[in-house]
Amino acid sequence: MSSDQPPQGQPPEDDPFLKRPHDPTPPPGGSPYDTPPTGGTPPGGPPPGGAGGTPPGGPPPGGPGGPGGYPPPPPPYGSDPYGSGGGYGMPDPLAGMPPLADFGRRLAARIIDLVIVMIPLFLIQLAFGTNRYVVETDRGEDVTEVITKSYSGTGLAMTLISIIAYIGYDWFFTRKDGKTPGKKAMGLRVAMLNDGSVPQSGPALGRAAVLWLPTLVCCFCLWPLAIIVSILVDKPYRQGLHDKVAKTVVVTAP
């Protein structure tokens, strides 16, 4: 190795990033830009290597995709370069997955699951004699007193049991294979939107909590209606509010 080193603080002469100023004095016979580089091609002449335009040694490093060896231009805005129908230059997350479940089958599956959980809860309610969902009111009572009665004593205990039962039921079967008994009966399953896999414990729990907690605590009629409307109006994945939170979809399954 040579011991000759450039002066400290000064880049070597062969530094490719060194900016060299143009010579302001034109050479005899015209501008310095009129003189082609040594061994090159005069302006307007054919490229080296013949009429085919391919330089000796193969195509340029950029590849044959575009003019001058540069990569081809990007596809037009809104087209799908992957051919999967996603649009906006992005692949469709549902590409390769089974078809989305229709609303009728989803509703039937939910009713089956509701009945499966409701029957043992009803038997427990009879055994304890609680009036969790039936509150007798006297004239003159305000809403606060009615709610206090509903969520005190055995009513509160039944509320907690119901929350554990409904959320635990949905969480367990969703994380197991994406199929609650109702969904299995209707040929459906829950899948992650990004890759179609079975939801892990976290997404499955979040999905179940958003689905059941508001219903059991405060919005017995309004929240299920909001879930139904969200499924019907969502395009293109038919996600309910609980699906949005967990990033899941419901698809058909064999």
Side-chain angles (χ1 to χ4, degrees):
M1 179 181 296
S2 173
S3 60
D4 295 337
Q5 299 291 336
Q8 194 168 9
Q10 181 177 358
E13 290 298 325
D14 59 349
D15 185 357
F17 299 102
L18 177 63
K19 294 182 179 180
R20 297 177 174 84
H22 294 293
D23 186 0
T25 305
S31 168
Y33 303 103
D34 294 336
T35 305
T38 305
T41 303
T54 303
Y70 293 101
Y77 180 77
S79 64
D80 182 7
Y82 301 95
S84 55
Y88 302 101
M90 297 295 292
D92 184 0
L94 293 177
M97 290 176 60
L100 291 171
D102 62 81
F103 176 75
R105 293 170 69 180
R106 290 186 67 170
L107 181 60
R110 182 58 61 194
I111 292 174
I112 294 173
D113 291 329
L114 188 65
V115 171
I116 291 175
V117 181
M118 185 179 293
I119 290 176
L121 288 178
F122 178 72
L123 296 178
I124 293 174
Q125 182 173 326
L126 288 180
F128 284 93
T130 177
N131 293 326
R132 163 66 181 85
Y133 298 111
V134 180
V135 179
E136 295 181 0
T137 61
D138 298 328
R139 291 185 178 181
E141 282 186 319
D142 61 18
V143 177
T144 304
E145 292 174 347
V146 172
I147 294 176
T148 301
K149 282 186 177 182
S150 179
Y151 291 98
S152 61
T154 56
L156 176 61
M158 197 64 206
T159 299
L160 297 177
I161 292 173
S162 299
I163 290 173
I164 294 173
Y166 281 105
I167 293 181
Y169 175 92
D170 239 274
W171 167 78
F172 174 79
F173 286 109
T174 300
R175 68 179 291 272
K176 178 175 178 287
D177 56 5
K179 302 176 183 178
T180 61
K183 286 184 173 61
K184 186 174 294 186
M186 299 306 300
L188 307 177
R189 75 175 180 93
V190 180
M192 296 302 296
L193 175 61
N194 60 339
D195 59 5
S197 62
V198 174
Q200 298 295 319
S201 183
L205 181 60
R207 187 178 191 274
V210 173
L211 179 64
W212 289 113
L213 199 57
T215 302
L216 298 171
V217 172
C218 62
C219 309
F220 182 74
C221 296
L222 295 180
W223 191 250
L225 182 60
I227 295 289
I228 290 174
V229 171
S230 65
I231 295 174
L232 292 176
V233 302
D234 183 70
K235 304 295 181 186
Y237 302 127
R238 305 174 192 170
Q239 290 177 299
L241 297 174
H242 54 312
D243 289 312
K244 293 286 188 183
V245 170
K247 297 180 175 60
T248 57
V249 289
V250 180
V251 297
T252 59

